[in-house]
Amino acid sequence: MSDISHMIGEYTRFGKHLSTRHDTELLLISFHDPRRTFSPGGKDDLGIEVMYLPNLRSVKFHDGAPHGVPWESLRRLLHSPQITSMSFDESALFISVAPFPADPSLTASTLEELSYPTLLETIATEWYSGYLFTMSDRREVETACLSALVLGMRETARSLTLPMDTCPLREMVRLEWPRLHTIRLGGSFPRGADHFITHTLPSFFRRTPHMEHIEITAALPIDTTVLCSVLGRGRAFNPVALDELRSLTVAHPDPEDAIFSTPLPNLVHLSIRDYPRRYDVLAEVYYQQRWRSPILSATEMLAILRRIRPYGLTSLEVVYLVDDSDPDLLEFITECLPQLRHLQLHRYRRSPDEVVHYRDIARKLSGIAGLTTLRLNLDLEGDPGPYNAHISETILNKWLSRLTDMGWEVFDLLQPCTRLEYVALLCHDDGPPSAWLPFRRFRRATRGMDLFDILKPEHIDSLPRPYPLTRRRWYS
């Protein structure tokens, strides 16, 4: 049972005193249930206080709702027209609540933004007061609850952040989404989802005429055989107008996806990446047994960039495996993207004994005149590898020292880029997460490093959560 008096205490602690702060725009709602009963049950007064907050626009559920947020707790909030944004954190998932009503007239809302955690995978089973919940149970309940929320906001939705494996995409493709401009789908595709990936997902984007931001960072289960497809392969589907699209992020894309042949005149950010990161998969046996990690070759990456013609890009991320087209790919990035300001490059070697000529790469990239930030994961030989607890601290410190020398050397070679603020090299420690080690212009004279800088959230490379504590494949 959610404790309303405790929640009001939480509001006060966060500076949201209901009796005095009538200008509150964001309400943080905390659930605490020391009894951890299976069914929330009982009368819930959540939502009554909304009438005293005329400026309230956003609600966030956080800080410990062990059973999820029940429908009765959401009903009044959803029926309050001034609330346009609702979000849930990782401690407020729909795990053991009763499925929400399926009747659209009961779940209709004026929400414009909905954000729900996109975990790679939750724990397989949980015990709550003698009840055992399996992964299948959780997925079924979460799908039903998200379906009610998402489909109920179809007329007003502008931004959705949803887990790929439980979002109601099969139902969403039957509806029009006239105002939706941002979609973020993460976590993992459903198991055995080849048809879902190649047909259901592409069908959705034929219902979104005003899309501006597309982000699909969903892992591919081990039993899938295809790559992520946004608009479908080749001419399998009718053309889609994406003139308003400004940002596109796709993990493990199909190089033949029709979106790469679609005019995108306003595209400024492009990320063709992996998820989970390839180095995480290589280091973690648990990942290898559950998810694939295919990455494009340099030849495939170059073909995509040539087809998409992203001449207005200001930000680019690419993840690829080296082949004979690597020099041509780097040349294209250097010479054909005149507006480029931010580049993140993950370049993986073909074989462990291959030498990375990082100086040549830096010299080539120095031709990007307007470059402001550069992040390089070059899969360098000699790297002891991510999360290798069997490597001594002495070896790790020697590698960090070498990485520091290389970082400043790369920075010096990029001096033709007069706007450059920093270069960052990816640094692995003996435990996750991996992070970007920045070499900043204002420290160049002293070659100084602030190791606390690496701990800032903006320098942590993406890490699937929760990260498994299981058997790892150690690097030699």
Side-chain angles (χ1 to χ4, degrees):
M1 183 183 301
S2 59
D3 187 340
I4 299 302
S5 62
H6 188 88
M7 285 192 292
I8 292 176
E10 288 292 302
Y11 300 157
T12 304
R13 180 149 58 97
F14 282 97
K16 308 290 190 295
H17 199 295
L18 301 181
S19 63
T20 59
R21 295 297 304 273
H22 300 293
D23 60 342
T24 296
E25 295 183 4
L26 169 63
L27 193 61
L28 302 177
I29 297 178
S30 173
F31 278 77
H32 289 268
D33 184 2
R35 288 160 291 190
R36 299 176 68 81
T37 56
F38 167 70
S39 176
K43 182 179 179 181
D44 199 334
D45 296 326
L46 177 63
I48 294 178
E49 55 277 343
V50 172
M51 68 179 69
Y52 302 107
L53 301 171
N55 293 325
L56 183 64
R57 298 294 181 267
S58 302
V59 174
K60 179 177 181 179
F61 293 93
H62 77 123
D63 193 18
H67 309 127
V69 182
W71 169 250
E72 194 60 30
S73 298
L74 292 175
R75 183 173 56 81
R76 291 191 187 93
L77 295 175
L78 290 174
H79 292 169
S80 302
Q82 79 266 32
I83 297 177
T84 60
S85 176
M86 188 173 290
S87 60
F88 302 80
D89 76 2
E90 296 171 18
S91 64
L93 304 177
F94 302 130
I95 294 178
S96 62
V97 299
F100 294 174
D103 185 346
S105 65
L106 297 177
T107 60
S109 69
T110 56
L111 282 182
E112 297 180 3
E113 300 180 8
L114 176 65
S115 179
Y116 191 83
T118 60
L119 303 179
L120 179 65
E121 185 178 59
T122 57
I123 56 179
T125 58
E126 294 190 17
W127 281 92
Y128 286 124
S129 300
Y131 291 86
L132 177 66
F133 295 91
T134 66
M135 179 70 73
S136 177
D137 295 332
R138 181 212 47 101
R139 187 176 288 111
E140 183 176 345
V141 171
E142 190 170 88
T143 299
C145 293
L146 285 176
S147 179
L149 279 179
V150 174
L151 300 182
M153 58 187 290
R154 60 189 178 276
E155 296 293 336
T156 56
R158 298 175 63 85
S159 175
L160 295 172
T161 301
L162 301 169
M164 181 69 84
D165 65 334
T166 55
C167 74
L169 203 62
R170 291 182 177 88
E171 291 73 31
M172 292 168 70
V173 300
R174 303 190 186 107
L175 305 171
E176 299 296 330
W177 299 83
R179 302 184 64 193
L180 189 64
H181 62 68
T182 298
I183 184 78
R184 299 182 181 91
L185 300 171
S188 172
F189 280 100
R191 302 291 174 182
D194 280 4
H195 187 272
F196 182 93
I197 296 170
T198 57
H199 289 78
T200 305
L201 184 59
S203 297
F204 171 69
F205 291 106
R206 279 147 183 86
R207 303 284 189 174
T208 57
H210 300 294
M211 194 60 66
E212 297 179 10
H213 307 278
I214 297 174
E215 181 178 320
I216 304 175
T217 50
L220 295 171
I222 197 71
D223 61 356
T224 57
T225 61
V226 298
L227 297 174
C228 182
S229 186
V230 180
L231 295 186
R233 205 163 225 251
R235 300 186 180 183
F237 294 90
N238 295 326
V240 175
L242 290 173
D243 292 349
E244 299 176 36
L245 192 67
R246 297 182 55 80
S247 174
L248 175 63
T249 299
V250 188
H252 309 296
D254 183 342
E256 300 300 322
D257 192 337
I259 196 169
F260 299 130
S261 300
T262 301
L264 304 173
N266 292 304
L267 192 69
V268 295
H269 171 75
L270 176 63
S271 173
I272 301 176
R273 54 163 297 171
D274 49 355
Y275 184 85
R277 288 297 193 194
R278 185 176 180 84
Y279 58 77
D280 273 320
V281 175
L282 292 176
E284 194 54 83
V285 174
Y286 181 89
Y287 284 169
Q288 297 163 25
Q289 295 171 343
R290 285 161 176 78
W291 290 283
R292 300 159 55 210
S293 182
I295 60 174
L296 301 181
S297 66
T299 297
E300 292 170 321
M301 187 67 69
L302 178 59
I304 286 177
L305 293 179
R306 283 175 172 167
R307 285 167 54 203
I308 205 170
R309 293 177 291 181
Y311 303 132
L313 281 187
T314 61
S315 175
L316 174 66
E317 177 184 8
V318 291
V319 179
Y320 68 94
L321 186 67
V322 170
D323 65 12
D324 293 341
S325 294
D326 182 54
D328 295 332
L329 174 60
L330 296 176
E331 183 177 351
F332 183 92
I333 293 173
T334 300
E335 298 183 359
C336 298
L337 304 177
Q339 305 300 320
L340 193 62
R341 300 290 179 267
H342 308 281
L343 175 61
Q344 183 166 318
L345 191 147
H346 296 253
R347 177 185 181 274
Y348 287 93
R349 294 173 292 161
R350 282 174 284 196
S351 62
D353 56 353
E354 184 176 330
V355 175
V356 178
H357 300 285
Y358 66 91
R359 298 181 185 88
D360 293 340
I361 295 172
R363 291 188 186 97
K364 191 173 289 289
L365 296 179
S366 68
I368 308 175
L371 194 62
T372 302
T373 64
L374 174 63
R375 289 178 166 182
L376 294 174
N377 169 23
L378 298 180
D379 187 23
L380 295 161
E381 72 278 4
D383 190 334
Y387 327 140
N388 192 342
H390 291 186
I391 296 295
S392 69
E393 185 175 352
T394 299
I395 293 176
L396 285 175
N397 287 337
K398 285 182 178 179
W399 173 249
L400 179 61
S401 176
R402 181 185 169 196
L403 199 64
T404 301
D405 292 340
M406 284 190 287
W408 285 119
E409 190 175 1
V410 169
F411 192 100
D412 290 341
L413 292 170
L414 288 162
Q415 285 315 293
C417 306
T418 57
R419 299 180 183 178
L420 188 66
E421 295 177 2
Y422 74 80
V423 171
L425 301 184
L426 192 65
C427 180
H428 305 299
D429 206 340
D430 57 356
S434 296
W436 296 102
L437 186 62
F439 302 88
R440 299 185 180 277
R441 179 175 294 278
F442 71 87
R443 296 185 183 276
R444 181 179 173 228
T446 62
R447 289 315 204 238
M449 290 295 301
D450 182 358
L451 292 182
F452 289 101
D453 198 9
I454 199 174
L455 300 178
K456 293 180 179 177
E458 62 266 29
H459 294 312
I460 301 298
D461 199 38
S462 62
L463 178 68
R465 298 173 66 182
Y467 195 86
L469 298 175
T470 59
R471 292 174 294 126
R472 294 172 182 162
R473 174 179 294 175
W474 306 117
Y475 283 60
S476 59

